[in-house]
Amino acid sequence: MADKDLDTVTLISEKSELKVPPLYKIVLLNDDFTPMDFVVEVLKMFFAMNEEQAIQVMLKVHTEGAAVCGVYPSDIANTKVNQVVEFARSNQHPLQCIMEEN
Ligand code: TYC
């Protein structure tokens, strides 16, 4: 029994410590062609905003050129960017959406 205890070694290396996964900001970019009401719909559909929040963020993009519409881990951020761009293209709008490491 004592021998068994001595044989038990717990290895904890610095590398095995859990790290917080990196987060990414999703940034919506302004353009001169995408209708304002379409952008508001996108913000409600893909970023769970209510009408008031969506209008505020859309107007920030419109007046300042860009705005953050959410912060997510990489897989979710990637999926959302692709969904937004695909939805915009399928409605013939040039809306652009990018992700940036936080
Ligand atoms: N600038 C656009 C217009 O005047 C509206 C717009 C807002 C477009 C936000 C894109 O991400 C955007 N119709």
Side-chain angles (χ1 to χ4, degrees):
M1 189 66 88
D3 283 352
K4 226 178 185 182
D5 288 345
L6 286 174
D7 287 346
T8 305
V9 180
T10 306
L11 289 174
I12 303 174
S13 74
E14 280 174 32
K15 279 184 183 164
S16 73
E17 283 168 28
L18 288 177
K19 290 207 191 102
V20 179
L23 294 175
Y24 292 80
K25 292 184 245 191
I26 298 187
V27 180
L28 207 57
L29 305 178
N30 190 34
D31 66 72
D32 293 337
F33 306 102
T34 306
M36 290 183 174
D37 59 354
F38 182 82
V39 178
V40 169
E41 283 315 304
V42 164
L43 291 168
K44 287 160 71 177
M45 282 176 63
F46 297 104
F47 300 98
M49 293 185 197
N50 63 35
E51 181 85 12
E52 199 178 323
Q53 295 168 324
I55 290 171
Q56 275 187 15
V57 173
M58 182 279 294
L59 287 175
K60 187 173 167 73
V61 179
H62 178 70
T63 56
E64 297 178 21
V68 175
C69 45
V71 178
Y72 304 93
S74 93
D75 283 7
I76 297 173
N78 231 309
T79 301
K80 283 188 186 287
V81 166
N82 290 335
Q83 287 174 330
V84 168
V85 171
E86 159 65 20
F87 184 59
R89 297 301 169 275
S90 69
N91 286 276
Q92 289 82 48
H93 299 309
L95 182 64
Q96 296 232 57
C97 181
I98 57 171
M99 55 193 268
E100 290 177 351
E101 192 164 358
N102 230 359

